[in-house]
Amino acid sequence: GGGGGGGSGGGESPMSLLAREGEKELQAALQKVQADMESQGCSREEIGSQLASVRESHAAYMRQQRQMLQEREEVYKEAIAEGLTPEAAKARVQACAQWQQQMQRLQAKHQAAMQKTHHEAEAAGVSPAEIKRRLEAQRRLQQAEAEAWQQKMRARQQAASEAAEKGQSAAEVEKAVKAVTRAQDAAWAEREAALLAAEGVARREAAEAARQLADASLSPEIRRILLARVRIGGLSARPDLNGREGVAKMWVVEKSRFAVLVDGQGAKAAEQLLLKAANLTVLQPAGGGGGGSGAAAEEEEPPPLE
């Protein structure tokens, strides 16, 4: 799409033009899909299902396009209200359009990364639960990246505005924007590295837990609790943990305890602790199904997981 926004000069409104062009694109796509599927001998039901999917995807695309156009029109109105000339207002709209296009590319990159993560995990024989965890971690990383990118764009715009208000030259404005960009990129690189390192640890722990589940040398009781959803009980040194729930992520052989990721609860943050099997009641085994009681509770203070 183009810049959008600004007076339409008495012709067709940008929103009307968008709708008309969108309908033309939809009809062309539907005709192509139907012709291709008919040539492949697909049934009427299959063709109808695919056409419905195309319509649904196109509707989502048009909603996004309308929202982007409305944003550009709002940018133009705000620029005029600030006293900018129509030419300067249109330049700001064009910058907004470029920002939107960059955001679309970022979203496409994220979608491709999610699909790659899912396919690679399936090909490696990873469990459905671990695939779900990896996709959730990927989603959090992508959300953090999108937020960092938006923060960078706002910082760049603010730096440009402040430099322009001081009467600095175009070269000085560009220098200020580049300095802000480098600082924002460095901050994101540091945060991304930390998130990726944490995900690496999580994957190694998941791989070790999967290995332990298949390890016949471990007792049936240990394997029953491993990766299960559990409830904590029988602790006197940390009574605040009693009744809390979490997941027994891994059996730490040298400590003879489970590494349990305890759920956050209200103002209480999630935390990972080492707990004895005697202090855990299985609510849901790793493979799903019913729960069961753990061994008789034994008083034990959970040391932090190192």
Side-chain angles (χ1 to χ4, degrees):
S8 58
E12 187 175 15
S13 71
M15 194 65 73
S16 175
L17 178 61
L18 174 65
R20 182 164 60 81
E21 292 297 326
E23 181 62 24
K24 186 188 300 183
E25 292 173 0
L26 173 61
Q27 293 306 318
L30 291 173
Q31 291 173 9
K32 184 179 186 305
V33 168
Q34 183 165 353
D36 289 348
M37 295 188 72
E38 285 177 347
S39 68
Q40 296 169 14
C42 297
S43 68
R44 293 180 60 184
E45 291 76 13
E46 290 173 325
I47 294 174
S49 176
Q50 186 61 30
L51 293 179
S53 177
V54 170
R55 289 191 181 94
E56 183 178 349
S57 297
H58 185 267
Y61 167 78
M62 289 303 295
R63 283 195 297 272
Q64 184 183 49
Q65 292 300 308
R66 286 193 295 270
Q67 181 181 357
M68 290 167 60
L69 177 56
Q70 289 169 352
E71 288 175 356
R72 295 196 296 270
E73 290 178 336
E74 189 63 31
V75 165
Y76 182 86
K77 292 175 183 177
E78 290 177 354
I80 294 297
E82 292 174 11
L84 272 65
T85 65
E87 291 73 18
K90 288 178 181 178
R92 185 177 290 185
V93 168
Q94 187 60 35
C96 175
Q98 292 173 354
W99 182 90
Q100 290 172 334
Q101 290 167 3
Q102 290 172 351
M103 178 57 81
Q104 283 186 310
R105 286 195 289 270
L106 182 62
Q107 291 170 344
K109 181 188 113 176
H110 286 171
Q111 184 176 11
M114 290 288 283
Q115 292 173 347
K116 181 181 179 183
T117 296
H118 190 272
H119 292 157
E120 288 180 347
E122 281 189 330
V126 174
S127 70
E130 172 60 10
I131 290 177
K132 181 180 178 181
R133 189 206 64 75
R134 290 188 184 187
L135 292 176
E136 289 174 349
Q138 183 85 28
R139 198 170 291 113
R140 288 193 298 270
L141 174 65
Q142 292 174 351
Q143 182 179 358
E145 183 179 16
E147 291 172 354
W149 186 84
Q150 291 171 344
Q151 182 177 346
K152 179 173 73 172
M153 292 300 104
R154 288 192 294 268
R156 282 166 55 92
Q157 186 176 23
Q158 182 178 354
S161 298
E162 291 176 351
E165 288 174 0
K166 295 176 182 177
Q168 295 179 346
S169 66
E172 290 173 325
V173 171
E174 183 179 0
K175 182 179 179 181
V177 170
K178 285 184 176 179
V180 167
T181 300
R182 286 194 297 270
Q184 292 289 329
D185 286 345
W188 165 244
E190 183 177 352
R191 187 180 180 194
E192 181 184 33
L195 291 171
L196 291 175
E199 173 61 9
V201 171
R203 291 194 183 192
R204 288 192 293 274
E205 289 179 347
E208 174 61 16
R211 186 197 66 75
Q212 290 177 343
L213 274 175
D215 186 353
S217 68
L218 294 177
S219 72
E221 176 66 5
I222 289 175
R223 287 186 288 165
R224 185 181 73 88
I225 298 174
L226 190 61
L227 294 180
R229 183 150 192 85
V230 296
R231 179 181 293 124
I232 301 169
L235 301 176
S236 59
R238 285 288 306 273
D240 59 301
L241 289 175
N242 291 327
R244 297 271 295 277
E245 298 178 7
V247 175
K249 295 178 60 179
M250 187 172 56
W251 174 248
V252 182
V253 178
E254 59 272 21
K255 300 287 187 179
S256 296
R257 289 173 173 80
F258 287 96
V260 179
L261 180 61
V262 185
D263 297 342
Q265 188 178 73
K268 299 176 182 177
E271 54 183 318
Q272 187 160 296
L273 304 167
L274 293 177
L275 296 169
K276 284 186 175 180
N279 296 106
L280 303 174
T281 298
V282 174
L283 300 176
Q284 183 178 6
S293 297
E298 172 182 316
E299 183 176 321
E300 177 70 22
E301 179 178 1
L305 179 63
E306 298 176 358

